[in-house]
Amino acid sequence: MPDAQLLAAQDLRLDVNVLDYVILALYFLVVLGIGFAAKRAVRTSLDFFLSGRALPAWITGLAFMSANLGATEVLGMAANGAQYGAMTLHYYWIGAVPAMVFLGVVMMPFYYRSKVHSVPEFMRRRFNGATQLLNAGTFAVAQILIAGINLYALALIMDAMLGWPLWLSILVSAAIVLAYITLGGLSSAIYNEVMQFFVIVAGLVPVVIIGLTRVGGFSGLGEKVKQSVLGEGGLHTWAHTAGTDNPLNANWIGLVFGLGFVLSFGYWTTNFAEVQRALSARNTNAARLTPIVAAYPKLVIPIVTVIPGLVAVVLFGNLGKDGGPTYNEAIPLLMNEFLPNGVLGVAVTGLLASFMAGMAANISGFNTVFTQDIWKAHVNGDHPDEWYVRLGRIATVVGVLAGIGTAFIAAGFGNIMNYLQSLFSFFNAPLFATFIIGLFWRRMTAWAGFWGLLSGTVCAFASYILYKAGVFDFGTELNASFWGAGIAFVVDAIVSVVVTLATTPKPESELHGLVYGLSDASVSDDALAGDAAWYRSPVILGAGAVVLAAAFYLPFL
Amino acid sequence: MAAPQRLFDIRRVIGGLFLVYGLILTVTGLLDSAQEIQKAEGIRINLWTGVAMLVVGGAFLLWERLRPSDGPAASDEEE
């Protein structure tokens, strides 16, 4: 068997049979069944799962982790693994883990204790209504764009299973997602979100095992990556990062400041889809532990994402080249190559369920922010509750339709993770700057929040346009998003400081519980018996995760 | 509230689904032809994945049985 196969772009066709469809059907029967049963059995659809602020840290941690590990992450990080090699590990070990620990240790008490329902609402209380509106607006746009990515990915798999043209797959997928959100309701969406994580892992582990067997284990993989297009650089994370002579074309400043600090902290600490999971924890300690519990599995997720990416680049010689399959297709190609019917069905189910869960989360995020933070707070807040429920339903349909449009934008990117990271640099990086300055500097004024956020977002966008136009040379799309995030952060910070000095601050009485050092005296200590134990200490567990992340780098320096 | 709440415990749902999937894959794995085994580099991947899923599913059910969730019983205090 030749070491590297050459594939045509249209070669990807998953060979599914009846057995695989049975596995797929079973999954959706369970998910929709829960949706129906839960609708009848509970007062509010959220009673059983994520509400009432009654859940222990292990459940919220599981939900937190699952909300992030969707198929976009799996396909995208495998694509990055194939395109950039071991440097993709930075996403996990300098990116996600420290940010998750920071969220748990520092930020969570503010979110949990201020009892806000969304990040834009936090913005309104710390700054003003205009900041809330701006944040809600960019959040709504971001959700629609990300929904498009999920929809496109869903269509990609449908296309591979059934051989339909992409536009038809996108339309049919959108119809399925809409039916799924309407039929199953929120509770089935939340169950789906946690279940897809386990099903995806069950489908990917066999791919990793067979893939490693094919290339001759870890040592064989290392040897073959050296001979591939990635070369020696594909096995290292920090080598040659003093300059830009590495697969990512990124130097250590871009990695540490852009990716590690701004982009990752921005994503993890202000992404409401994630933070909301922790808000349903039973007390402050459980809320703080939520992201930290999730950080431990996050440390080892690269085994099922980056390794398949490397295997794919070794096996498929023209992956990501003109005329070959795109990097996005790394995982589906491997599934097709290795998995017999049966396990194949599990893997396909995991991917499909995951894209649906992802898109459902985007649409419901859009829906909530549109009805609560935009319409109710700024357009008209005088209608009865049912009126907003109806508005929410219309927003769902509009969101799905808009997602069809943005799916075609996503289709234009050979690596969806790059696209996603660019979006994060526009929306999350400036938000993080405003958030963190507002948290630690109590003098920061309401209008500083607004103008800082606006200028940061505009500058990140401008830097991306200038990169695309060839004015800025960042080397790779990914490095461009690191720098875009860094620029957004710095501009946001400077504008915030300048505007603060020119305007009057809010009185301290309005800031209790919203800034560091001004605690809200009305919130009592909610610690439970046993919270003092070391294994429930956010600081100790968090430090453990960071130390492990640093140790994991050692074989890949 | 207690009975439906236990029915909807996420550990039960995942455990049940994994047991069913594990059973399907194990049977399929036992019946796999030489061609399917060869596709997976000589590994009986359906069989092994099936057995692993049975174990994981069983573990989830056992966990739920040993440590039943005290769940949203306290949800009447707010919201």
Side-chain angles (χ1 to χ4, degrees):
Chain A
M1 189 161 297
D3 263 356
Q5 303 165 245
L6 296 182
L7 300 165
Q10 62 276 24
D11 254 353
L12 178 60
R13 176 65 55 86
L14 293 170
D15 203 2
V16 284
N17 72 6
V18 182
L19 181 64
D20 302 313
Y21 282 115
V22 167
I23 289 173
L24 185 62
L26 265 175
Y27 183 89
F28 284 99
L29 279 179
V30 170
V31 168
L32 290 177
I34 288 176
F36 278 123
K39 251 186 203 164
R40 267 184 314 171
V42 296
R43 264 175 309 145
T44 68
S45 53
L46 277 176
D47 255 8
F48 284 122
F49 204 87
L50 282 174
S51 71
R53 293 187 161 223
L55 300 171
W58 70 262
I59 282 202
T60 53
L62 207 64
F64 187 94
M65 183 173 66
S66 311
N68 170 253
L69 203 133
T72 327
E73 157 96 7
V74 170
L75 293 196
M77 284 303 171
N80 280 349
Q83 194 170 356
Y84 307 116
M87 290 190 91
T88 309
L89 294 168
H90 287 307
Y91 274 102
Y92 295 88
W93 297 338
I94 199 173
V97 169
M100 291 163 91
V101 170
F102 180 80
L103 172 62
V105 171
V106 180
M107 311 267 284
M108 196 52 80
F110 295 97
Y111 278 125
Y112 190 81
R113 292 178 157 237
S114 64
K115 300 202 165 131
V116 292
H117 73 265
S118 69
V119 172
E121 198 198 344
F122 191 92
M123 286 305 182
R124 180 179 60 77
R125 293 190 40 196
R126 173 63 184 84
F127 302 108
N128 56 17
T131 317
Q132 176 190 33
L133 190 60
L134 175 62
N135 179 215
T138 55
F139 179 84
V141 171
Q143 291 306 301
I144 294 298
L145 290 170
I146 298 171
I149 298 179
N150 279 311
L151 190 57
Y152 164 66
L154 187 61
L156 206 64
I157 304 296
M158 300 256 298
D159 182 14
M161 284 166 65
L162 303 165
W164 295 348
L166 191 67
W167 64 269
L168 183 62
S169 300
I170 288 180
L171 290 183
V172 172
S173 305
I176 294 175
V177 171
L178 190 58
Y180 159 76
I181 298 175
T182 335
L183 282 177
L186 202 49
S187 49
S188 89
I190 290 163
Y191 276 92
N192 184 19
E193 194 172 277
V194 177
M195 286 162 65
Q196 56 86 16
F197 169 77
F198 289 93
V199 176
I200 267 203
V201 172
L204 284 181
V205 170
V207 172
V208 174
I209 292 173
I210 303 172
L212 281 176
T213 312
R214 163 74 74 87
V215 297
F218 285 103
S219 56
L221 180 61
E223 283 305 312
K224 292 195 170 94
V225 168
K226 274 183 204 170
Q227 291 154 20
S228 73
V229 282
L230 279 173
E232 179 74 29
L235 297 175
H236 298 283
T237 51
W238 290 107
H240 303 289
T241 53
T244 55
D245 181 23
N246 53 58
L248 215 49
N249 298 127
N251 65 16
W252 65 272
I253 302 174
L255 286 174
V256 173
F257 184 70
L259 171 69
F261 183 58
V262 181
L263 211 46
S264 300
F265 277 57
Y267 172 79
W268 289 99
T269 56
T270 62
N271 187 317
F272 193 62
E274 302 282 347
V275 171
Q276 196 183 30
R277 305 296 177 263
L279 294 184
S280 50
R282 64 184 169 194
N283 64 357
T284 312
N285 199 60
R288 296 178 73 192
L289 280 178
T290 298
I292 295 169
V293 165
Y296 281 87
K298 190 79 185 168
L299 283 168
V300 294
I301 292 293
I303 295 173
V304 293
T305 57
V306 180
I307 290 181
L310 289 175
V311 171
V313 82
V314 165
L315 290 184
F316 312 120
N318 60 346
L319 187 69
K321 305 278 183 306
D322 283 339
T326 63
Y327 288 114
N328 292 329
E329 291 170 288
I331 292 259
L333 281 170
L334 291 175
M335 283 163 43
N336 196 36
E337 179 81 8
F338 295 142
L339 299 185
N341 296 113
V343 178
L344 181 63
V346 174
V348 166
T349 302
L351 289 180
L352 290 179
S354 171
F355 292 131
M356 286 198 169
M359 183 156 174
N362 300 142
I363 297 295
S364 86
F366 166 77
N367 179 342
T368 311
V369 163
F370 180 77
T371 47
Q372 301 293 324
D373 290 297
I374 296 180
W375 204 276
K376 204 169 176 178
H378 293 277
V379 181
N380 190 338
D382 301 331
H383 292 289
D385 259 5
E386 308 88 74
W387 195 89
Y388 294 103
V389 174
R390 248 200 338 267
L391 181 67
R393 291 215 186 94
I394 298 170
T396 301
V397 177
V398 172
V400 171
L401 290 178
I404 294 176
T406 54
F408 287 100
I409 303 179
F413 287 78
N415 180 331
I416 44 176
M417 208 41 153
N418 285 342
Y419 175 47
L420 199 57
Q421 292 295 334
S422 313
L423 294 182
F424 290 155
S425 76
F426 305 156
F427 300 119
N428 292 29
L431 179 58
F432 173 61
T434 299
F435 207 100
I436 199 80
I437 299 171
L439 197 59
F440 287 104
W441 192 31
R442 70 179 74 156
R443 198 188 174 294
M444 184 175 177
T445 61
W447 284 105
F450 178 81
W451 290 110
L453 197 55
L454 185 64
S455 53
T457 310
V458 168
C459 285
F461 200 69
S463 117
Y464 183 75
I465 300 287
L466 290 175
Y467 162 70
K468 278 292 185 193
V471 181
F472 288 170
D473 182 17
F474 293 125
T476 60
E477 185 101 351
L478 211 51
N479 195 34
S481 66
F482 298 170
W483 280 96
I487 290 168
F489 185 91
V490 171
V491 169
D492 185 317
I494 293 172
V495 171
S496 297
V497 170
V498 170
V499 176
T500 292
L501 296 177
T503 45
T504 37
K506 288 179 102 167
E508 285 198 357
S509 58
E510 291 177 19
L511 295 175
H512 282 288
L514 301 172
V515 297
Y516 199 80
L518 280 180
S519 59
D520 189 346
S522 67
V523 180
S524 57
D525 185 19
D526 57 2
L528 294 171
D531 277 354
W534 67 267
Y535 58 83
R536 284 199 195 166
S537 156
V539 175
I540 294 176
L541 290 184
V546 173
V547 169
L548 275 179
F552 282 4
Y553 266 124
L554 293 178
F556 305 100
L557 289 175
Chain B
M1 280 296 279
Q5 185 192 313
R6 285 200 68 184
L7 187 65
F8 288 110
D9 189 306
I10 187 77
R11 293 171 293 186
R12 274 203 179 185
V13 179
I14 295 175
L17 184 75
F18 267 51
L19 281 191
V20 174
Y21 276 5
L23 204 64
I24 294 176
L25 290 188
T26 307
V27 172
T28 311
L30 290 172
L31 302 174
D32 267 346
S33 67
Q35 187 205 341
E36 271 132 2
I37 295 171
Q38 207 219 320
K39 183 180 184 188
E41 299 292 309
I43 303 170
R44 299 193 75 121
I45 201 70
N46 272 331
L47 183 61
W48 287 112
T49 311
V51 170
M53 288 183 92
L54 283 176
V55 171
V56 172
F60 266 107
L61 292 182
L62 195 68
W63 181 17
E64 196 273 335
R65 179 152 291 229
L66 295 178
R67 297 279 299 272
S69 168
D70 43 0
S75 66
D76 49 359
E77 65 184 15
E78 57 182 334
E79 276 147 345

